[in-house]
mmCIF file of all heavy atoms in Angstrom:
data_model
loop_
_atom_site.group_PDB
_atom_site.id
_atom_site.type_symbol
_atom_site.label_atom_id
_atom_site.label_comp_id
_atom_site.label_asym_id
_atom_site.label_seq_id
_atom_site.Cartn_x
_atom_site.Cartn_y
_atom_site.Cartn_z
ATOM 1 N N ILE A 34 -18.384 -2.612 11.357
ATOM 2 C CA ILE A 34 -17.758 -3.200 10.138
ATOM 3 C C ILE A 34 -16.591 -4.089 10.573
ATOM 4 O O ILE A 34 -16.405 -5.194 10.078
ATOM 5 C CB ILE A 34 -17.283 -2.079 9.210
ATOM 6 C CG1 ILE A 34 -18.504 -1.344 8.592
ATOM 7 C CG2 ILE A 34 -16.391 -2.630 8.084
ATOM 8 C CD1 ILE A 34 -18.142 -0.099 7.817
ATOM 9 N N GLY A 35 -15.845 -3.630 11.588
ATOM 10 C CA GLY A 35 -14.728 -4.432 12.064
ATOM 11 C C GLY A 35 -15.222 -5.767 12.655
ATOM 12 O O GLY A 35 -14.627 -6.829 12.390
ATOM 13 N N GLU A 36 -16.363 -5.701 13.340
ATOM 14 C CA GLU A 36 -16.940 -6.935 13.916
ATOM 15 C C GLU A 36 -17.376 -7.841 12.771
ATOM 16 O O GLU A 36 -17.142 -9.069 12.779
ATOM 17 C CB GLU A 36 -18.131 -6.565 14.780
ATOM 18 C CG GLU A 36 -17.773 -5.906 16.088
ATOM 19 C CD GLU A 36 -18.991 -5.389 16.831
ATOM 20 O OE1 GLU A 36 -19.935 -4.919 16.152
ATOM 21 O OE2 GLU A 36 -19.005 -5.445 18.063
ATOM 22 N N TRP A 37 -18.056 -7.273 11.778
ATOM 23 C CA TRP A 37 -18.543 -8.085 10.657
ATOM 24 C C TRP A 37 -17.373 -8.739 9.908
ATOM 25 O O TRP A 37 -17.428 -9.907 9.516
ATOM 26 C CB TRP A 37 -19.425 -7.265 9.748
ATOM 27 C CG TRP A 37 -20.188 -7.990 8.706
ATOM 28 C CD1 TRP A 37 -20.083 -7.843 7.349
ATOM 29 C CD2 TRP A 37 -21.194 -8.955 8.944
ATOM 30 N NE1 TRP A 37 -20.953 -8.706 6.706
ATOM 31 C CE2 TRP A 37 -21.679 -9.400 7.664
ATOM 32 C CE3 TRP A 37 -21.736 -9.538 10.079
ATOM 33 C CZ2 TRP A 37 -22.648 -10.369 7.499
ATOM 34 C CZ3 TRP A 37 -22.742 -10.516 9.918
ATOM 35 C CH2 TRP A 37 -23.172 -10.916 8.636
ATOM 36 N N ALA A 38 -16.321 -7.955 9.758
ATOM 37 C CA ALA A 38 -15.136 -8.463 9.033
ATOM 38 C C ALA A 38 -14.415 -9.525 9.765
ATOM 39 O O ALA A 38 -13.827 -10.461 9.201
ATOM 40 C CB ALA A 38 -14.171 -7.284 8.739
ATOM 41 N N SER A 39 -14.420 -9.404 11.107
ATOM 42 C CA SER A 39 -13.585 -10.331 11.907
ATOM 43 C C SER A 39 -14.377 -11.538 12.372
ATOM 44 O O SER A 39 -13.897 -12.380 13.128
ATOM 45 C CB SER A 39 -13.011 -9.609 13.142
ATOM 46 O OG SER A 39 -14.096 -9.120 13.930
ATOM 47 N N GLY A 40 -15.626 -11.625 11.920
ATOM 48 C CA GLY A 40 -16.399 -12.830 12.220
ATOM 49 C C GLY A 40 -17.118 -12.784 13.542
ATOM 50 O O GLY A 40 -17.569 -13.806 14.065
ATOM 51 N N LEU A 41 -17.301 -11.579 14.091
ATOM 52 C CA LEU A 41 -17.968 -11.492 15.375
ATOM 53 C C LEU A 41 -19.422 -11.088 15.217
ATOM 54 O O LEU A 41 -20.158 -10.875 16.146
ATOM 55 C CB LEU A 41 -17.250 -10.476 16.292
ATOM 56 C CG LEU A 41 -16.008 -11.050 16.961
ATOM 57 C CD1 LEU A 41 -15.193 -9.956 17.606
ATOM 58 C CD2 LEU A 41 -16.396 -12.094 18.003
ATOM 59 N N GLY A 42 -19.847 -10.945 13.918
ATOM 60 C CA GLY A 42 -21.252 -10.738 13.590
ATOM 61 C C GLY A 42 -21.969 -9.646 14.300
ATOM 62 O O GLY A 42 -22.022 -8.517 13.848
ATOM 63 N N ASP A 43 -22.536 -9.956 15.508
ATOM 64 C CA ASP A 43 -23.460 -9.012 16.091
ATOM 65 C C ASP A 43 -22.799 -7.687 16.479
ATOM 66 O O ASP A 43 -21.833 -7.693 17.242
ATOM 67 C CB ASP A 43 -24.074 -9.616 17.384
ATOM 68 C CG ASP A 43 -24.693 -10.980 17.093
ATOM 69 O OD1 ASP A 43 -24.895 -11.224 15.875
ATOM 70 O OD2 ASP A 43 -24.844 -11.752 18.004
ATOM 71 N N GLU A 44 -23.417 -6.579 15.993
ATOM 72 C CA GLU A 44 -22.828 -5.273 16.318
ATOM 73 C C GLU A 44 -22.971 -5.064 17.834
ATOM 74 O O GLU A 44 -23.957 -5.362 18.432
ATOM 75 C CB GLU A 44 -23.584 -4.157 15.584
ATOM 76 C CG GLU A 44 -23.013 -2.771 15.880
ATOM 77 C CD GLU A 44 -23.161 -1.830 14.701
ATOM 78 O OE1 GLU A 44 -24.053 -2.068 13.880
ATOM 79 O OE2 GLU A 44 -22.313 -0.918 14.625
ATOM 80 N N GLY A 45 -21.886 -4.582 18.406
ATOM 81 C CA GLY A 45 -21.910 -4.260 19.799
ATOM 82 C C GLY A 45 -21.324 -5.354 20.675
ATOM 83 O O GLY A 45 -20.941 -5.125 21.797
ATOM 84 N N HIS A 46 -21.285 -6.582 20.088
ATOM 85 C CA HIS A 46 -20.752 -7.694 20.896
ATOM 86 C C HIS A 46 -19.318 -7.351 21.338
ATOM 87 O O HIS A 46 -18.969 -7.497 22.509
ATOM 88 C CB HIS A 46 -20.710 -8.960 20.050
ATOM 89 C CG HIS A 46 -20.029 -10.127 20.740
ATOM 90 N ND1 HIS A 46 -20.674 -10.855 21.703
ATOM 91 C CD2 HIS A 46 -18.810 -10.590 20.665
ATOM 92 C CE1 HIS A 46 -19.833 -11.766 22.142
ATOM 93 N NE2 HIS A 46 -18.673 -11.623 21.535
ATOM 94 N N LEU A 47 -18.570 -6.879 20.386
ATOM 95 C CA LEU A 47 -17.164 -6.606 20.679
ATOM 96 C C LEU A 47 -17.010 -5.435 21.643
ATOM 97 O O LEU A 47 -16.089 -5.386 22.460
ATOM 98 C CB LEU A 47 -16.468 -6.291 19.358
ATOM 99 C CG LEU A 47 -14.997 -6.577 19.362
ATOM 100 C CD1 LEU A 47 -14.601 -7.317 18.103
ATOM 101 C CD2 LEU A 47 -14.249 -5.305 19.507
ATOM 102 N N GLN A 48 -17.982 -4.511 21.551
ATOM 103 C CA GLN A 48 -17.873 -3.360 22.474
ATOM 104 C C GLN A 48 -17.891 -3.819 23.932
ATOM 105 O O GLN A 48 -17.304 -3.190 24.801
ATOM 106 C CB GLN A 48 -19.095 -2.439 22.215
ATOM 107 C CG GLN A 48 -18.831 -0.982 22.493
ATOM 108 C CD GLN A 48 -19.466 -0.079 21.411
ATOM 109 O OE1 GLN A 48 -20.384 -0.479 20.749
ATOM 110 N NE2 GLN A 48 -18.945 1.123 21.273
ATOM 111 N N ARG A 49 -18.561 -4.958 24.157
ATOM 112 C CA ARG A 49 -18.642 -5.451 25.520
ATOM 113 C C ARG A 49 -17.302 -6.043 25.939
ATOM 114 O O ARG A 49 -16.984 -6.149 27.121
ATOM 115 C CB ARG A 49 -19.764 -6.464 25.674
ATOM 116 C CG ARG A 49 -21.142 -5.862 25.488
ATOM 117 C CD ARG A 49 -22.262 -6.834 25.799
ATOM 118 N NE ARG A 49 -22.365 -7.890 24.744
ATOM 119 C CZ ARG A 49 -23.015 -7.690 23.585
ATOM 120 N NH1 ARG A 49 -23.507 -6.513 23.285
ATOM 121 N NH2 ARG A 49 -23.114 -8.664 22.689
ATOM 122 N N LEU A 50 -16.551 -6.452 24.900
ATOM 123 C CA LEU A 50 -15.240 -7.099 25.221
ATOM 124 C C LEU A 50 -14.095 -6.088 25.279
ATOM 125 O O LEU A 50 -13.079 -6.326 25.901
ATOM 126 C CB LEU A 50 -14.910 -8.165 24.144
ATOM 127 C CG LEU A 50 -15.855 -9.325 23.964
ATOM 128 C CD1 LEU A 50 -15.409 -10.234 22.810
ATOM 129 C CD2 LEU A 50 -16.002 -10.111 25.235
ATOM 130 N N ALA A 51 -14.313 -4.972 24.588
ATOM 131 C CA ALA A 51 -13.156 -4.036 24.379
ATOM 132 C C ALA A 51 -12.659 -3.392 25.666
ATOM 133 O O ALA A 51 -11.433 -3.355 25.908
ATOM 134 C CB ALA A 51 -13.563 -2.958 23.387
ATOM 135 N N PRO A 52 -13.533 -2.898 26.558
ATOM 136 C CA PRO A 52 -13.032 -2.166 27.716
ATOM 137 C C PRO A 52 -12.021 -2.966 28.500
ATOM 138 O O PRO A 52 -12.183 -4.166 28.687
ATOM 139 C CB PRO A 52 -14.278 -1.895 28.563
ATOM 140 C CG PRO A 52 -15.409 -1.892 27.570
ATOM 141 C CD PRO A 52 -15.016 -2.940 26.568
ATOM 142 N N GLY A 53 -10.938 -2.279 28.896
ATOM 143 C CA GLY A 53 -9.949 -2.971 29.724
ATOM 144 C C GLY A 53 -8.935 -3.749 28.938
ATOM 145 O O GLY A 53 -7.940 -4.221 29.465
ATOM 146 N N LYS A 54 -9.152 -3.888 27.610
ATOM 147 C CA LYS A 54 -8.157 -4.584 26.817
ATOM 148 C C LYS A 54 -7.118 -3.557 26.404
ATOM 149 O O LYS A 54 -7.384 -2.641 25.611
ATOM 150 C CB LYS A 54 -8.842 -5.200 25.568
ATOM 151 C CG LYS A 54 -9.890 -6.257 25.867
ATOM 152 C CD LYS A 54 -9.302 -7.463 26.531
ATOM 153 C CE LYS A 54 -10.305 -8.603 26.672
ATOM 154 N NZ LYS A 54 -11.504 -8.279 27.479
ATOM 155 N N LYS A 55 -5.927 -3.679 26.952
ATOM 156 C CA LYS A 55 -4.879 -2.674 26.743
ATOM 157 C C LYS A 55 -4.206 -2.896 25.377
ATOM 158 O O LYS A 55 -3.741 -3.984 25.068
ATOM 159 C CB LYS A 55 -3.847 -2.767 27.855
ATOM 160 C CG LYS A 55 -4.334 -2.210 29.181
ATOM 161 C CD LYS A 55 -3.192 -2.024 30.156
ATOM 162 C CE LYS A 55 -3.644 -1.257 31.393
ATOM 163 N NZ LYS A 55 -2.491 -0.930 32.283
ATOM 164 N N MET A 56 -4.150 -1.786 24.637
ATOM 165 C CA MET A 56 -3.438 -1.805 23.329
ATOM 166 C C MET A 56 -2.435 -0.683 23.332
ATOM 167 O O MET A 56 -2.612 0.341 23.993
ATOM 168 C CB MET A 56 -4.447 -1.613 22.164
ATOM 169 C CG MET A 56 -5.430 -2.755 22.059
ATOM 170 S SD MET A 56 -6.289 -2.707 20.462
ATOM 171 C CE MET A 56 -7.173 -4.265 20.522
ATOM 172 N N ALA A 57 -1.341 -0.881 22.575
ATOM 173 C CA ALA A 57 -0.321 0.174 22.477
ATOM 174 C C ALA A 57 0.044 0.338 20.991
ATOM 175 O O ALA A 57 0.033 -0.626 20.221
ATOM 176 C CB ALA A 57 0.924 -0.194 23.255
ATOM 177 N N VAL A 58 0.377 1.567 20.617
ATOM 178 C CA VAL A 58 0.821 1.861 19.269
ATOM 179 C C VAL A 58 2.235 2.390 19.381
ATOM 180 O O VAL A 58 2.457 3.440 20.039
ATOM 181 C CB VAL A 58 -0.066 2.902 18.553
ATOM 182 C CG1 VAL A 58 0.349 3.106 17.098
ATOM 183 C CG2 VAL A 58 -1.532 2.518 18.658
ATOM 184 N N VAL A 59 3.211 1.662 18.835
ATOM 185 C CA VAL A 59 4.622 2.001 19.000
ATOM 186 C C VAL A 59 5.169 2.683 17.721
ATOM 187 O O VAL A 59 5.187 2.066 16.681
ATOM 188 C CB VAL A 59 5.444 0.744 19.343
ATOM 189 C CG1 VAL A 59 6.926 1.135 19.500
ATOM 190 C CG2 VAL A 59 4.921 0.096 20.604
ATOM 191 N N PRO A 60 5.628 3.941 17.808
ATOM 192 C CA PRO A 60 6.248 4.580 16.643
ATOM 193 C C PRO A 60 7.542 3.838 16.264
ATOM 194 O O PRO A 60 8.285 3.383 17.141
ATOM 195 C CB PRO A 60 6.573 5.999 17.118
ATOM 196 C CG PRO A 60 5.710 6.184 18.359
ATOM 197 C CD PRO A 60 5.569 4.824 18.983
ATOM 198 N N ILE A 61 7.734 3.719 14.938
ATOM 199 C CA ILE A 61 8.939 3.016 14.455
ATOM 200 C C ILE A 61 9.748 3.970 13.567
ATOM 201 O O ILE A 61 9.216 4.545 12.628
ATOM 202 C CB ILE A 61 8.520 1.751 13.632
ATOM 203 C CG1 ILE A 61 7.690 0.807 14.500
ATOM 204 C CG2 ILE A 61 9.757 1.038 13.086
ATOM 205 C CD1 ILE A 61 8.401 0.203 15.692
ATOM 206 N N ARG A 62 11.021 4.126 13.932
ATOM 207 C CA ARG A 62 11.856 5.134 13.241
ATOM 208 C C ARG A 62 12.679 4.533 12.103
ATOM 209 O O ARG A 62 13.424 5.265 11.442
ATOM 210 C CB ARG A 62 12.759 5.814 14.260
ATOM 211 C CG ARG A 62 12.020 6.681 15.275
ATOM 212 C CD ARG A 62 12.969 7.291 16.253
ATOM 213 N NE ARG A 62 13.684 6.270 17.004
ATOM 214 C CZ ARG A 62 14.720 6.530 17.852
ATOM 215 N NH1 ARG A 62 15.125 7.783 18.023
ATOM 216 N NH2 ARG A 62 15.335 5.567 18.493
ATOM 217 N N SER A 63 12.565 3.224 11.840
ATOM 218 C CA SER A 63 13.396 2.619 10.817
ATOM 219 C C SER A 63 13.039 3.135 9.430
ATOM 220 O O SER A 63 12.004 3.760 9.226
ATOM 221 C CB SER A 63 13.218 1.080 10.855
ATOM 222 O OG SER A 63 11.874 0.796 10.413
ATOM 223 N N GLY A 64 13.991 2.894 8.475
ATOM 224 C CA GLY A 64 13.740 3.255 7.078
ATOM 225 C C GLY A 64 13.456 4.733 6.899
ATOM 226 O O GLY A 64 14.203 5.597 7.289
ATOM 227 N N LEU A 65 12.276 5.026 6.318
ATOM 228 C CA LEU A 65 11.896 6.418 6.054
ATOM 229 C C LEU A 65 11.413 7.124 7.264
ATOM 230 O O LEU A 65 11.042 8.314 7.235
ATOM 231 C CB LEU A 65 10.815 6.452 4.958
ATOM 232 C CG LEU A 65 11.250 5.890 3.590
ATOM 233 C CD1 LEU A 65 10.037 5.841 2.650
ATOM 234 C CD2 LEU A 65 12.349 6.744 2.992
ATOM 235 N N GLY A 66 11.387 6.367 8.389
ATOM 236 C CA GLY A 66 11.107 7.038 9.668
ATOM 237 C C GLY A 66 9.651 7.222 9.992
ATOM 238 O O GLY A 66 8.737 6.662 9.364
ATOM 239 N N VAL A 67 9.397 7.966 11.059
ATOM 240 C CA VAL A 67 8.057 8.206 11.594
ATOM 241 C C VAL A 67 7.272 9.072 10.639
ATOM 242 O O VAL A 67 7.792 10.006 10.040
ATOM 243 C CB VAL A 67 8.201 8.843 13.013
ATOM 244 C CG1 VAL A 67 6.900 9.470 13.441
ATOM 245 C CG2 VAL A 67 8.684 7.814 14.023
ATOM 246 N N ILE A 68 5.984 8.791 10.518
ATOM 247 C CA ILE A 68 5.055 9.697 9.817
ATOM 248 C C ILE A 68 4.373 10.511 10.912
ATOM 249 O O ILE A 68 3.682 9.975 11.769
ATOM 250 C CB ILE A 68 3.991 8.930 9.014
ATOM 251 C CG1 ILE A 68 4.634 8.075 7.923
ATOM 252 C CG2 ILE A 68 2.960 9.879 8.425
ATOM 253 C CD1 ILE A 68 3.676 7.157 7.192
ATOM 254 N N SER A 69 4.580 11.761 10.910
ATOM 255 C CA SER A 69 3.988 12.632 11.946
ATOM 256 C C SER A 69 2.471 12.437 11.992
ATOM 257 O O SER A 69 1.779 12.554 10.979
ATOM 258 C CB SER A 69 4.309 14.115 11.653
ATOM 259 O OG SER A 69 3.643 14.961 12.573
ATOM 260 N N GLY A 70 1.975 12.090 13.152
ATOM 261 C CA GLY A 70 0.541 11.902 13.327
ATOM 262 C C GLY A 70 0.073 10.476 13.113
ATOM 263 O O GLY A 70 -1.083 10.131 13.427
ATOM 264 N N PHE A 71 0.925 9.587 12.599
ATOM 265 C CA PHE A 71 0.467 8.227 12.303
ATOM 266 C C PHE A 71 0.090 7.478 13.577
ATOM 267 O O PHE A 71 -1.064 7.009 13.700
ATOM 268 C CB PHE A 71 1.557 7.439 11.518
ATOM 269 C CG PHE A 71 1.182 6.016 11.272
ATOM 270 C CD1 PHE A 71 0.347 5.661 10.199
ATOM 271 C CD2 PHE A 71 1.684 4.979 12.069
ATOM 272 C CE1 PHE A 71 0.001 4.348 9.953
ATOM 273 C CE2 PHE A 71 1.350 3.670 11.831
ATOM 274 C CZ PHE A 71 0.506 3.352 10.787
ATOM 275 N N SER A 72 0.989 7.406 14.534
ATOM 276 C CA SER A 72 0.694 6.643 15.773
ATOM 277 C C SER A 72 -0.472 7.300 16.528
ATOM 278 O O SER A 72 -1.367 6.588 17.035
ATOM 279 C CB SER A 72 1.900 6.589 16.690
ATOM 280 O OG SER A 72 2.953 5.876 16.053
ATOM 281 N N GLU A 73 -0.517 8.611 16.535
ATOM 282 C CA GLU A 73 -1.642 9.317 17.218
ATOM 283 C C GLU A 73 -2.958 9.000 16.537
ATOM 284 O O GLU A 73 -3.994 8.839 17.191
ATOM 285 C CB GLU A 73 -1.363 10.836 17.228
ATOM 286 C CG GLU A 73 -0.171 11.266 18.040
ATOM 287 C CD GLU A 73 1.168 11.074 17.327
ATOM 288 O OE1 GLU A 73 1.164 10.592 16.153
ATOM 289 O OE2 GLU A 73 2.224 11.388 17.937
ATOM 290 N N THR A 74 -2.948 8.929 15.209
ATOM 291 C CA THR A 74 -4.206 8.613 14.508
ATOM 292 C C THR A 74 -4.658 7.205 14.773
ATOM 293 O O THR A 74 -5.820 6.928 15.058
ATOM 294 C CB THR A 74 -4.022 8.866 12.974
ATOM 295 O OG1 THR A 74 -3.670 10.223 12.766
ATOM 296 C CG2 THR A 74 -5.301 8.510 12.212
ATOM 297 N N VAL A 75 -3.732 6.243 14.694
ATOM 298 C CA VAL A 75 -4.077 4.847 14.975
ATOM 299 C C VAL A 75 -4.626 4.738 16.412
ATOM 300 O O VAL A 75 -5.668 4.102 16.660
ATOM 301 C CB VAL A 75 -2.867 3.914 14.760
ATOM 302 C CG1 VAL A 75 -3.181 2.482 15.199
ATOM 303 C CG2 VAL A 75 -2.437 3.924 13.294
ATOM 304 N N CYS A 76 -3.928 5.361 17.329
ATOM 305 C CA CYS A 76 -4.362 5.320 18.743
ATOM 306 C C CYS A 76 -5.724 5.972 18.893
ATOM 307 O O CYS A 76 -6.618 5.433 19.610
ATOM 308 C CB CYS A 76 -3.325 6.027 19.623
ATOM 309 S SG CYS A 76 -3.612 5.829 21.395
ATOM 310 N N GLY A 77 -5.981 7.053 18.199
ATOM 311 C CA GLY A 77 -7.265 7.735 18.273
ATOM 312 C C GLY A 77 -8.399 6.845 17.748
ATOM 313 O O GLY A 77 -9.509 6.855 18.317
ATOM 314 N N ILE A 78 -8.122 6.091 16.688
ATOM 315 C CA ILE A 78 -9.151 5.190 16.156
ATOM 316 C C ILE A 78 -9.447 4.094 17.201
ATOM 317 O O ILE A 78 -10.632 3.785 17.452
ATOM 318 C CB ILE A 78 -8.664 4.574 14.805
ATOM 319 C CG1 ILE A 78 -8.525 5.647 13.735
ATOM 320 C CG2 ILE A 78 -9.610 3.435 14.373
ATOM 321 C CD1 ILE A 78 -7.790 5.193 12.489
ATOM 322 N N LEU A 79 -8.418 3.549 17.826
ATOM 323 C CA LEU A 79 -8.613 2.499 18.801
ATOM 324 C C LEU A 79 -9.404 3.007 20.023
ATOM 325 O O LEU A 79 -10.351 2.370 20.503
ATOM 326 C CB LEU A 79 -7.261 1.972 19.292
ATOM 327 C CG LEU A 79 -6.429 1.239 18.226
ATOM 328 C CD1 LEU A 79 -5.046 0.876 18.811
ATOM 329 C CD2 LEU A 79 -7.097 0.000 17.683
ATOM 330 N N LEU A 80 -9.124 4.210 20.457
ATOM 331 C CA LEU A 80 -9.862 4.795 21.582
ATOM 332 C C LEU A 80 -11.348 5.031 21.163
ATOM 333 O O LEU A 80 -12.255 4.748 21.955
ATOM 334 C CB LEU A 80 -9.218 6.109 22.010
ATOM 335 C CG LEU A 80 -7.852 6.031 22.704
ATOM 336 C CD1 LEU A 80 -7.181 7.404 22.765
ATOM 337 C CD2 LEU A 80 -8.028 5.436 24.096
ATOM 338 N N HIS A 81 -11.547 5.487 19.942
ATOM 339 C CA HIS A 81 -12.914 5.700 19.443
ATOM 340 C C HIS A 81 -13.712 4.367 19.462
ATOM 341 O O HIS A 81 -14.909 4.369 19.724
ATOM 342 C CB HIS A 81 -12.841 6.250 18.029
ATOM 343 C CG HIS A 81 -14.171 6.395 17.337
ATOM 344 N ND1 HIS A 81 -15.107 7.335 17.698
ATOM 345 C CD2 HIS A 81 -14.750 5.630 16.351
ATOM 346 C CE1 HIS A 81 -16.203 7.206 16.938
ATOM 347 N NE2 HIS A 81 -16.012 6.166 16.137
ATOM 348 N N LEU A 82 -13.031 3.269 19.191
ATOM 349 C CA LEU A 82 -13.657 1.954 19.161
ATOM 350 C C LEU A 82 -13.936 1.425 20.568
ATOM 351 O O LEU A 82 -14.615 0.392 20.722
ATOM 352 C CB LEU A 82 -12.810 0.972 18.382
ATOM 353 C CG LEU A 82 -12.559 1.311 16.894
ATOM 354 C CD1 LEU A 82 -11.562 0.334 16.295
ATOM 355 C CD2 LEU A 82 -13.857 1.277 16.104
ATOM 356 N N GLY A 83 -13.363 2.091 21.594
ATOM 357 C CA GLY A 83 -13.636 1.642 22.957
ATOM 358 C C GLY A 83 -12.482 0.862 23.610
ATOM 359 O O GLY A 83 -12.639 0.349 24.693
#
Side-chain angles (χ1 to χ4, degrees):
I34 291 171
E36 288 172 323
W37 191 241
S39 59
L41 279 169
D43 306 343
E44 182 148 25
H46 174 79
L47 205 135
Q48 209 139 22
R49 293 187 288 281
L50 299 178
K54 298 296 188 299
K55 285 193 171 187
M56 296 195 172
V58 186
V59 179
I61 302 296
R62 292 179 301 172
S63 66
L65 297 173
V67 163
I68 298 173
S69 174
F71 176 80
S72 296
E73 295 79 1
T74 299
V75 174
C76 189
I78 294 167
L79 296 174
L80 290 166
H81 174 73
L82 297 174

